[in-house]
């Protein structure tokens, strides 16, 4: 609903943007309204689609640039889906990776405890700091079963 009253932290976004020399445009406000109504996970494409439902003139690049600024402000954090496209966490509470099933498209979260040994081995062995939100593992869930091996002999 256009003109709705936004709750925090969304209500302050306009002043954050102005402090960075960015204008608080109707397009940017629309992105904020869509995010304020979104659950924890939403893809970039879904955000663009929801903006378009309210304003058919929505330009995807404007939406993505706004999302970049919101990520700098800590209001969203992106990872990537199985197709490599952006997948956003709205107001991320904790870092986690994801499992994606290539059969049914299902998605499950990989919490810190489940990946601790893998992550700590990389951090110690490679001295590489892991961004857990970018950990995307693609495979098959138990219901879809493993992909059948090629040619039987
Ligand atoms: Zn990324
Ligand atoms: Zn599956
Ligand atoms: Zn997630």
């Amino acid at each position: 609903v256009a003109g709705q009253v936004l709750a925090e932290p969304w209500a302050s976004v306009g002043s954050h943007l102005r402090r960075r020399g960015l204008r608080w445009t109707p397009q940017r406000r629309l992105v904020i309204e869509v995010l304020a109504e979104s659950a924890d996970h939403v893809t970039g494409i879904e955000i663009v689609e929801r903006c378009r439902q309210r304003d058919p003139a929505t330009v995807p690049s404007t939406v993505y640039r706004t999302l970049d600024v919101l990520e700098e402000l800590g209001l969203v954090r992106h990872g990537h889906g199985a197709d490599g496209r952006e997948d956003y966490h709205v107001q991320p509470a904790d870092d986690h990776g994801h499992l994606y099933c290539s059969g049914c498209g299902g998605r499950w979260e990989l919490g810190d405890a489940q990946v601790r040994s893998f992550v700590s081995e990389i951090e110690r062995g490679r001295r590489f700091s892991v961004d857990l939100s970018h950990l995307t593992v693609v495979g098959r869930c138990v219901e879809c079963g493993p992909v059948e091996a090629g040619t039987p002999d």
Side-chain angles (χ1 to χ4, degrees), residues 78-80 134:
H78 84 273
H80 297 272
H134 265 78

Side-chain angles (χ1 to χ4, degrees), residues 45-57:
I45 293 165
E46 285 167 345
I47 296 168
V48 170
E49 282 307 311
R50 289 177 199 175
C51 288
R52 279 203 166 137
Q53 282 168 10
R54 300 179 197 194
D55 178 5

Side-chain angles (χ1 to χ4, degrees), residues 1-7 10 24 26-38 50-55:
V1 181
Q4 72 181 107
V5 177
L6 292 166
W10 309 109
W24 182 224
Q27 271 278 277
R28 290 197 167 114
R29 187 187 158 91
L30 184 54
V31 176
I32 301 303
E33 286 178 5
V34 165
L35 287 172
E37 293 167 10
S38 299
R50 289 177 199 175
C51 288
R52 279 203 166 137
Q53 282 168 10
R54 300 179 197 194
D55 178 5

Side-chain angles (χ1 to χ4, degrees), residues 101 104 141 144:
C101 175
C104 64
C141 76
C144 293

Side-chain angles (χ1 to χ4, degrees), residues 72-144:
E72 287 171 30
L73 295 174
L75 292 172
V76 299
R77 180 176 295 145
H78 84 273
H80 297 272
D83 57 4
R85 289 176 169 163
E86 284 92 347
D87 204 352
Y88 289 88
H89 288 108
V90 182
Q91 299 191 68
D94 58 338
D95 269 353
H96 59 262
H98 297 99
L99 293 178
Y100 285 92
C101 175
S102 60
C104 64
R107 169 175 55 193
W108 298 268
E109 297 190 358
L110 278 175
D112 185 57
Q114 290 171 290
V115 295
R116 191 174 298 139
S117 62
F118 169 71
V119 167
S120 62
E121 193 174 309
I122 291 174
E123 297 200 323
R124 276 200 313 266
R126 306 286 297 261
R127 295 192 186 171
F128 187 92
S129 173
V130 175
D131 172 4
L132 199 49
S133 63
H134 265 78
L135 180 68
T136 295
V137 179
V138 180
R140 307 273 294 185
C141 76
V142 64
E143 258 145 53
C144 293

